[in-house]
């Protein structure tokens, strides 16, 4: 959450591609680990990730930080009375209440029920080379090369500055290793059902 998932879903939906429901009636948005599907499950799942502090700042800006933390951490015991009331208070407390460390590790490594996972870095997803790979992976089975090129250009034109900013002085040691792990990956990689990583040309 807070890394463009709604934006990407809306774009794919406009081009006739089905995604998880934005209303979360299917309980899939920001789910903590890869869900299990039967034979009619998806062929590919896109896992968007990005700067954890910028993501958290986005949730506070939109007024649903607690709700999102319960969803991503899988911890229903989080309560409004004790949950940090602001981004600054959250950063000061220094705990990963959103469960982002485990969330990322789950999607990076846990086996799936047969589908591949595209791990996509939000801060780079509008780069033309990254977007071209993404469109090929999610729509290459139903769109021509010319259509994929049009989609790529249209998607890249949507790039805009983040609405939520994080002060340069803000930091949380609890996310240091997570950020290092994120930064060590190319902006788009694909992992198979067993968690094996492959690079996309």
């Amino acid at each position: 959450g807070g890394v463009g998932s709604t934006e990407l879903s809306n774009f794919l939906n406009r081009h006739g591609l089905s995604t998880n429901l934005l209303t979360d009636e299917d309980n899939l948005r920001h789910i903590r680990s890869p869900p299990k599907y039967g034979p009619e499950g998806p062929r590919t799942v896109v896992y968007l990730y990005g700067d954890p502090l910028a993501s958290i700042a986005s949730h506070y800006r939109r007024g649903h930080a607690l709700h999102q933390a319960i969803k991503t951490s899988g911890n229903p015991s989080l309560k409004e009375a004790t949950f940090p009331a602001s981004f600054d208070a959250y950063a000061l407390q220094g705990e990963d209440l959103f469960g982002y460390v485990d969330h990322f590790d789950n999607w990076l490594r846990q086996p799936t029920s047969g589908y591949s996972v595209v791990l996509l870095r939000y801060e780079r997803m509008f780069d033309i080379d990254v977007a071209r790979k993404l469109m090929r992976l999610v729509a290459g089975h139903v769109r021509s090369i010319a259509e994929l090129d049009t989609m790529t250009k249209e998607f890249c034109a949507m790039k805009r500055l983040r609405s939520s900013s994080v002060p340069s002085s803000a930091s949380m040691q609890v996310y240091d290793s997570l950020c290092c792990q994120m930064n060590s990956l190319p902006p788009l990689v694909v992992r198979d059902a067993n968690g094996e990583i492959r690079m996309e040309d």
Side-chain angles (χ1 to χ4, degrees):
V3 286
S5 57
T6 298
E7 194 171 15
L8 177 59
S9 292
N10 284 335
F11 176 83
L12 295 176
N13 293 163
R14 286 198 303 273
H15 284 272
L17 297 164
S18 62
T19 63
N20 56 294
L21 299 177
L22 296 180
T23 56
D24 201 27
E25 291 174 13
D26 51 10
N27 201 36
L28 294 176
R29 280 180 69 75
H30 318 308
I31 191 169
R32 190 170 183 268
S33 57
K36 302 299 182 185
Y37 291 100
E40 299 302 316
R43 61 188 301 275
T44 303
V45 169
V46 178
Y47 179 80
L48 272 165
Y49 68 94
D51 181 339
L53 289 181
S55 168
I56 292 165
S58 174
H59 296 309
Y60 273 103
R61 177 180 62 82
R62 291 178 287 163
H64 59 225
L66 173 60
H67 171 79
Q68 187 70 16
I70 292 171
K71 180 79 172 178
T72 54
S73 70
N75 181 7
S77 67
L78 294 175
K79 303 298 179 186
E80 185 173 2
T82 55
F83 195 80
S86 67
F87 173 78
D88 289 342
Y90 182 88
L92 187 63
Q93 186 163 324
E95 295 180 60
D96 179 22
L97 299 178
F98 282 79
Y100 279 176
V101 174
D102 287 341
H103 199 285
F104 185 78
D105 189 69
N106 290 343
W107 279 94
L108 181 64
R109 305 181 196 285
Q110 275 193 12
T112 73
S113 53
Y115 54 88
S116 61
V117 177
V118 178
L119 293 112
L120 176 64
R121 181 78 186 235
Y122 168 74
E123 290 86 359
R124 297 285 307 281
M125 74 175 180
F126 294 108
D127 293 1
I128 188 73
D129 56 331
V130 176
R132 185 176 289 115
K133 293 174 185 177
L134 174 65
M135 296 306 149
R136 186 179 75 235
L137 287 165
V138 300
H141 61 299
V142 291
R143 296 289 184 269
S144 68
I145 293 176
E147 288 172 322
L148 292 174
D149 186 58
T150 298
M151 287 175 66
T152 298
K153 292 175 181 176
E154 181 184 334
F155 184 68
C156 291
M158 293 166 50
K159 184 176 182 178
R160 56 185 172 79
L161 293 176
R162 274 189 185 272
S163 299
S164 303
S165 60
V166 178
S168 57
S169 59
S171 65
M172 287 183 66
Q173 188 174 1
V174 70
Y175 293 129
D176 286 352
S177 61
L178 173 61
C179 289
C180 286
Q181 189 174 29
M182 290 178 171
N183 293 336
S184 71
L185 292 173
L188 186 153
V189 296
V190 179
R191 47 145 296 192
D192 65 18
N194 297 316
E196 294 296 322
I197 296 286
R198 75 171 192 262
M199 307 302 174
E200 288 299 306
D201 297 326

